[in-house]
Amino acid sequence: MERTKAVILAAGKGSRLQCEKDEIPKALRQVGGKALIDHVLAGIDFVAPEDITIVIGVMGDKIREYLGDKYNYVWQREQHGTAHAMLCAEEAVGDFDGPVLCLYCDMPLLSGKTYRTMVEEHIAHQAKNTLLAARIHPIPAFGRLIRDEKGELIDIVEQSACTPEQLLIDEVNVGVQVMSGDVMWDALKRVKNNNPKKEFYLTAVAGVIHEMKLPQHAVVTDDSPEFWGVNTMEELARVEEYLKNHG
């Protein structure tokens, strides 16, 4: 496979996982006998450790101490959204113009096969941005993929901003994406924070890439436990039960 770099966002507080109460960063919350970030790193074992950058924030020193020095670390000192977090990695990733996996520390069930497929399809379609999407019923509170009349991806609209018609779209954004290093930093810097929280969201990159008239692609799958995130104690328990039954 073509050389790939990866950026893992692991700067979150994990408030709903009671991480601050337990004085543990979200990335190190245990599930299935391993830290959340251990599951993610296992899924991207085709990426060399020196090509992996981890964005740390709250209790970030504990993540660095736990994982050791074989990875690159950058700080997101202030929380201004996921696009802002990704931009923190610009210097560490450098002028690499190949595929860059952008992923989260709280999706422990995503498989290596899925990550590889993302990169392979990104390369095969000569895309500048490739999203992982799924058709899920009942439709969850995820961003909806917006396409034009030709079926080309033009935007992602978060559920809170959807029109009644857009709420019926069952093609939803899972969260993982691959961007080409030659355009990603420029695209990230064009993201605007015109939302109620005034944050810079990674999902907005889809609209930016469309405005830049660059090709993008979506890897669309059926629903799967792979897409389960861990943001609450209930979600943690669900993943724990799944791993207990499926190993």
Side-chain angles (χ1 to χ4, degrees), residues 91-128:
E91 185 174 343
V93 174
D95 59 1
F96 178 72
D97 62 3
V100 181
L101 257 171
C102 307
L103 54 154
Y104 298 88
C105 73
D106 58 5
M107 298 183 73
L109 299 181
L110 266 171
S111 68
K113 179 181 178 181
T114 297
Y115 285 125
R116 284 177 180 272
T117 297
M118 289 283 295
V119 176
E120 289 166 354
E121 291 215 18
H122 179 79
I123 295 168
H125 285 81
Q126 298 182 316
K128 295 301 182 181

Short mmCIF file of all heavy atoms in Angstrom, two decimals, residues 91-128:
data_model
loop_
_atom_site.label_atom_id
_atom_site.label_comp_id
_atom_site.label_asym_id
_atom_site.label_seq_id
_atom_site.Cartn_x
_atom_site.Cartn_y
_atom_site.Cartn_z
N GLU A 91 2.42 20.92 11.33
CA GLU A 91 3.89 20.91 11.36
C GLU A 91 4.42 19.48 11.49
O GLU A 91 5.42 19.12 10.85
CB GLU A 91 4.40 21.77 12.50
CG GLU A 91 5.91 21.91 12.52
CD GLU A 91 6.41 22.88 13.58
OE1 GLU A 91 5.62 23.69 14.09
OE2 GLU A 91 7.62 22.81 13.90
N ALA A 92 3.75 18.66 12.30
CA ALA A 92 4.22 17.28 12.51
C ALA A 92 4.08 16.44 11.26
O ALA A 92 4.96 15.63 10.95
CB ALA A 92 3.44 16.64 13.67
N VAL A 93 3.01 16.61 10.53
CA VAL A 93 2.80 15.83 9.30
C VAL A 93 3.73 16.33 8.20
O VAL A 93 4.20 15.56 7.36
CB VAL A 93 1.33 15.90 8.85
CG1 VAL A 93 1.13 15.21 7.51
CG2 VAL A 93 0.42 15.25 9.90
N GLY A 94 4.02 17.62 8.22
CA GLY A 94 4.97 18.18 7.27
C GLY A 94 4.42 18.33 5.88
O GLY A 94 3.20 18.42 5.67
N ASP A 95 5.30 18.32 4.88
CA ASP A 95 4.89 18.56 3.51
C ASP A 95 4.52 17.28 2.76
O ASP A 95 4.53 17.23 1.53
CB ASP A 95 5.99 19.31 2.75
CG ASP A 95 7.31 18.55 2.72
OD1 ASP A 95 7.37 17.43 3.29
OD2 ASP A 95 8.29 19.07 2.15
N PHE A 96 4.18 16.25 3.49
CA PHE A 96 3.72 14.99 2.91
C PHE A 96 2.47 15.25 2.07
O PHE A 96 1.51 15.85 2.54
CB PHE A 96 3.40 14.01 4.04
CG PHE A 96 2.88 12.67 3.60
CD1 PHE A 96 3.70 11.75 2.99
CD2 PHE A 96 1.55 12.34 3.83
CE1 PHE A 96 3.21 10.50 2.60
CE2 PHE A 96 1.06 11.10 3.45
CZ PHE A 96 1.90 10.19 2.83
N ASP A 97 2.48 14.81 0.81
CA ASP A 97 1.32 15.09 -0.05
C ASP A 97 0.48 13.85 -0.36
O ASP A 97 -0.41 13.89 -1.19
CB ASP A 97 1.76 15.76 -1.35
CG ASP A 97 2.69 14.89 -2.20
OD1 ASP A 97 2.93 13.73 -1.81
OD2 ASP A 97 3.16 15.37 -3.25
N GLY A 98 0.75 12.74 0.32
CA GLY A 98 -0.02 11.52 0.12
C GLY A 98 -1.25 11.45 1.00
O GLY A 98 -1.68 12.45 1.59
N PRO A 99 -1.85 10.26 1.13
CA PRO A 99 -3.07 10.12 1.93
C PRO A 99 -2.81 10.25 3.42
O PRO A 99 -1.86 9.67 3.96
CB PRO A 99 -3.56 8.72 1.57
CG PRO A 99 -2.35 7.98 1.08
CD PRO A 99 -1.46 9.00 0.46
N VAL A 100 -3.66 11.02 4.08
CA VAL A 100 -3.58 11.21 5.53
C VAL A 100 -4.90 10.76 6.15
O VAL A 100 -5.96 11.35 5.88
CB VAL A 100 -3.31 12.68 5.90
CG1 VAL A 100 -3.20 12.83 7.42
CG2 VAL A 100 -2.03 13.18 5.23
N LEU A 101 -4.86 9.70 6.94
CA LEU A 101 -6.04 9.21 7.66
C LEU A 101 -6.34 10.15 8.82
O LEU A 101 -5.45 10.46 9.61
CB LEU A 101 -5.78 7.82 8.21
CG LEU A 101 -6.36 6.61 7.51
CD1 LEU A 101 -5.78 5.33 8.12
CD2 LEU A 101 -7.89 6.58 7.61
N CYS A 102 -7.58 10.59 8.92
CA CYS A 102 -8.00 11.46 10.02
C CYS A 102 -9.02 10.67 10.85
O CYS A 102 -10.08 10.33 10.33
CB CYS A 102 -8.62 12.73 9.48
SG CYS A 102 -7.57 13.60 8.29
N LEU A 103 -8.69 10.39 12.08
CA LEU A 103 -9.55 9.51 12.87
C LEU A 103 -9.60 9.93 14.32
O LEU A 103 -8.89 10.83 14.77
CB LEU A 103 -9.10 8.06 12.73
CG LEU A 103 -7.64 7.72 13.04
CD1 LEU A 103 -7.52 6.26 13.47
CD2 LEU A 103 -6.76 7.91 11.81
N TYR A 104 -10.47 9.25 15.05
CA TYR A 104 -10.75 9.61 16.43
C TYR A 104 -10.33 8.49 17.38
O TYR A 104 -10.33 7.32 17.01
CB TYR A 104 -12.25 9.89 16.61
CG TYR A 104 -12.74 11.05 15.78
CD1 TYR A 104 -13.17 10.86 14.47
CD2 TYR A 104 -12.76 12.34 16.30
CE1 TYR A 104 -13.61 11.92 13.69
CE2 TYR A 104 -13.19 13.42 15.54
CZ TYR A 104 -13.61 13.21 14.23
OH TYR A 104 -14.03 14.25 13.46
N CYS A 105 -10.03 8.88 18.61
CA CYS A 105 -9.55 7.89 19.59
C CYS A 105 -10.69 7.10 20.21
O CYS A 105 -10.44 6.18 20.98
CB CYS A 105 -8.75 8.59 20.69
SG CYS A 105 -9.76 9.55 21.85
N ASP A 106 -11.95 7.44 19.90
CA ASP A 106 -13.07 6.85 20.62
C ASP A 106 -13.94 5.94 19.77
O ASP A 106 -15.12 5.74 20.04
CB ASP A 106 -13.94 7.96 21.25
CG ASP A 106 -14.47 8.95 20.22
OD1 ASP A 106 -14.26 8.73 19.01
OD2 ASP A 106 -15.10 9.94 20.64
N MET A 107 -13.34 5.36 18.70
CA MET A 107 -14.07 4.40 17.87
C MET A 107 -13.29 3.09 17.86
O MET A 107 -12.62 2.74 16.89
CB MET A 107 -14.28 4.95 16.46
CG MET A 107 -15.10 6.23 16.44
SD MET A 107 -15.42 6.86 14.76
CE MET A 107 -16.62 5.66 14.17
N PRO A 108 -13.38 2.32 18.95
CA PRO A 108 -12.51 1.15 19.13
C PRO A 108 -12.84 -0.06 18.27
O PRO A 108 -12.02 -0.98 18.18
CB PRO A 108 -12.70 0.81 20.61
CG PRO A 108 -14.09 1.28 20.93
CD PRO A 108 -14.25 2.54 20.13
N LEU A 109 -14.00 -0.10 17.63
CA LEU A 109 -14.40 -1.29 16.88
C LEU A 109 -14.09 -1.21 15.39
O LEU A 109 -14.25 -2.20 14.68
CB LEU A 109 -15.90 -1.56 17.07
CG LEU A 109 -16.35 -1.83 18.52
CD1 LEU A 109 -17.85 -2.09 18.56
CD2 LEU A 109 -15.59 -2.99 19.13
N LEU A 110 -13.66 -0.05 14.92
CA LEU A 110 -13.32 0.06 13.50
C LEU A 110 -12.16 -0.87 13.17
O LEU A 110 -11.15 -0.89 13.85
CB LEU A 110 -12.96 1.50 13.15
CG LEU A 110 -14.10 2.36 12.60
CD1 LEU A 110 -13.67 3.81 12.49
CD2 LEU A 110 -14.58 1.85 11.26
N SER A 111 -12.32 -1.62 12.09
CA SER A 111 -11.35 -2.66 11.75
C SER A 111 -10.25 -2.14 10.84
O SER A 111 -10.41 -1.15 10.12
CB SER A 111 -12.06 -3.82 11.06
OG SER A 111 -12.54 -3.41 9.78
N GLY A 112 -9.14 -2.87 10.84
CA GLY A 112 -8.05 -2.57 9.93
C GLY A 112 -8.51 -2.66 8.48
O GLY A 112 -8.07 -1.89 7.63
N LYS A 113 -9.41 -3.60 8.20
CA LYS A 113 -9.93 -3.75 6.84
C LYS A 113 -10.64 -2.48 6.38
O LYS A 113 -10.47 -2.03 5.23
CB LYS A 113 -10.89 -4.94 6.77
CG LYS A 113 -11.49 -5.16 5.39
CD LYS A 113 -12.47 -6.33 5.38
CE LYS A 113 -13.11 -6.51 4.01
NZ LYS A 113 -14.09 -7.62 4.00
N THR A 114 -11.42 -1.89 7.27
CA THR A 114 -12.14 -0.67 6.92
C THR A 114 -11.18 0.48 6.68
O THR A 114 -11.31 1.24 5.71
CB THR A 114 -13.15 -0.31 8.02
OG1 THR A 114 -14.13 -1.36 8.12
CG2 THR A 114 -13.87 1.00 7.72
N TYR A 115 -10.20 0.63 7.56
CA TYR A 115 -9.22 1.70 7.38
C TYR A 115 -8.46 1.54 6.07
O TYR A 115 -8.24 2.51 5.33
CB TYR A 115 -8.23 1.73 8.55
CG TYR A 115 -8.78 2.28 9.84
CD1 TYR A 115 -8.72 1.54 11.01
CD2 TYR A 115 -9.33 3.56 9.90
CE1 TYR A 115 -9.20 2.05 12.22
CE2 TYR A 115 -9.82 4.08 11.10
CZ TYR A 115 -9.75 3.31 12.25
OH TYR A 115 -10.23 3.83 13.44
N ARG A 116 -8.07 0.31 5.76
CA ARG A 116 -7.35 0.06 4.51
C ARG A 116 -8.23 0.37 3.30
O ARG A 116 -7.76 0.95 2.31
CB ARG A 116 -6.90 -1.41 4.46
CG ARG A 116 -5.70 -1.73 5.32
CD ARG A 116 -5.36 -3.21 5.25
NE ARG A 116 -4.22 -3.56 6.08
CZ ARG A 116 -2.96 -3.51 5.66
NH1 ARG A 116 -2.69 -3.14 4.41
NH2 ARG A 116 -1.97 -3.83 6.46
N THR A 117 -9.49 -0.04 3.36
CA THR A 117 -10.42 0.23 2.26
C THR A 117 -10.55 1.72 2.03
O THR A 117 -10.60 2.18 0.87
CB THR A 117 -11.80 -0.38 2.57
OG1 THR A 117 -11.68 -1.80 2.67
CG2 THR A 117 -12.81 -0.03 1.48
N MET A 118 -10.60 2.49 3.11
CA MET A 118 -10.68 3.95 2.99
C MET A 118 -9.51 4.49 2.18
O MET A 118 -9.70 5.28 1.24
CB MET A 118 -10.68 4.59 4.38
CG MET A 118 -11.94 4.37 5.19
SD MET A 118 -13.27 5.43 4.63
CE MET A 118 -12.62 7.04 5.02
N VAL A 119 -8.32 4.06 2.53
CA VAL A 119 -7.12 4.56 1.85
C VAL A 119 -7.09 4.07 0.40
O VAL A 119 -6.81 4.84 -0.53
CB VAL A 119 -5.85 4.13 2.59
CG1 VAL A 119 -4.60 4.57 1.83
CG2 VAL A 119 -5.82 4.71 4.01
N GLU A 120 -7.40 2.80 0.20
CA GLU A 120 -7.37 2.23 -1.16
C GLU A 120 -8.35 2.93 -2.08
O GLU A 120 -8.04 3.23 -3.24
CB GLU A 120 -7.65 0.73 -1.09
CG GLU A 120 -6.50 -0.08 -0.48
CD GLU A 120 -6.90 -1.49 -0.10
OE1 GLU A 120 -8.12 -1.81 -0.20
OE2 GLU A 120 -6.02 -2.27 0.31
N GLU A 121 -9.57 3.18 -1.59
CA GLU A 121 -10.57 3.84 -2.44
C GLU A 121 -10.21 5.31 -2.68
O GLU A 121 -10.46 5.86 -3.75
CB GLU A 121 -11.96 3.71 -1.82
CG GLU A 121 -12.51 2.30 -1.86
CD GLU A 121 -14.00 2.24 -2.07
OE1 GLU A 121 -14.59 3.25 -2.53
OE2 GLU A 121 -14.59 1.18 -1.80
N HIS A 122 -9.61 5.93 -1.67
CA HIS A 122 -9.16 7.32 -1.83
C HIS A 122 -8.17 7.41 -2.99
O HIS A 122 -8.27 8.29 -3.85
CB HIS A 122 -8.50 7.78 -0.53
CG HIS A 122 -7.97 9.18 -0.57
ND1 HIS A 122 -8.78 10.29 -0.42
CD2 HIS A 122 -6.70 9.66 -0.75
CE1 HIS A 122 -8.04 11.38 -0.50
NE2 HIS A 122 -6.78 11.03 -0.69
N ILE A 123 -7.23 6.47 -3.01
CA ILE A 123 -6.22 6.46 -4.06
C ILE A 123 -6.84 6.08 -5.41
O ILE A 123 -6.59 6.72 -6.44
CB ILE A 123 -5.09 5.48 -3.70
CG1 ILE A 123 -4.35 5.97 -2.45
CG2 ILE A 123 -4.12 5.29 -4.85
CD1 ILE A 123 -3.42 4.94 -1.83
N ALA A 124 -7.68 5.06 -5.41
CA ALA A 124 -8.28 4.57 -6.66
C ALA A 124 -9.14 5.64 -7.33
O ALA A 124 -9.18 5.72 -8.57
CB ALA A 124 -9.11 3.32 -6.39
N HIS A 125 -9.84 6.44 -6.53
CA HIS A 125 -10.71 7.48 -7.09
C HIS A 125 -10.00 8.81 -7.30
O HIS A 125 -10.62 9.78 -7.71
CB HIS A 125 -11.93 7.68 -6.18
CG HIS A 125 -12.95 6.59 -6.27
ND1 HIS A 125 -12.82 5.40 -5.59
CD2 HIS A 125 -14.10 6.50 -6.99
CE1 HIS A 125 -13.87 4.62 -5.86
NE2 HIS A 125 -14.65 5.26 -6.70
N GLN A 126 -8.70 8.83 -6.98
CA GLN A 126 -7.91 10.06 -7.12
C GLN A 126 -8.60 11.23 -6.42
O GLN A 126 -8.66 12.35 -6.93
CB GLN A 126 -7.65 10.38 -8.58
CG GLN A 126 -6.84 9.29 -9.30
CD GLN A 126 -6.54 9.63 -10.75
OE1 GLN A 126 -7.40 10.11 -11.49
NE2 GLN A 126 -5.30 9.40 -11.16
N ALA A 127 -9.15 10.92 -5.25
CA ALA A 127 -9.89 11.92 -4.49
C ALA A 127 -8.94 12.76 -3.64
O ALA A 127 -7.82 12.36 -3.34
CB ALA A 127 -10.92 11.23 -3.59
N LYS A 128 -9.42 13.92 -3.27
CA LYS A 128 -8.68 14.77 -2.34
C LYS A 128 -9.26 14.66 -0.93
O LYS A 128 -8.62 15.04 0.05
CB LYS A 128 -8.71 16.23 -2.81
CG LYS A 128 -7.99 16.46 -4.13
CD LYS A 128 -6.52 16.06 -4.04
CE LYS A 128 -5.78 16.35 -5.34
NZ LYS A 128 -4.35 15.95 -5.27
#
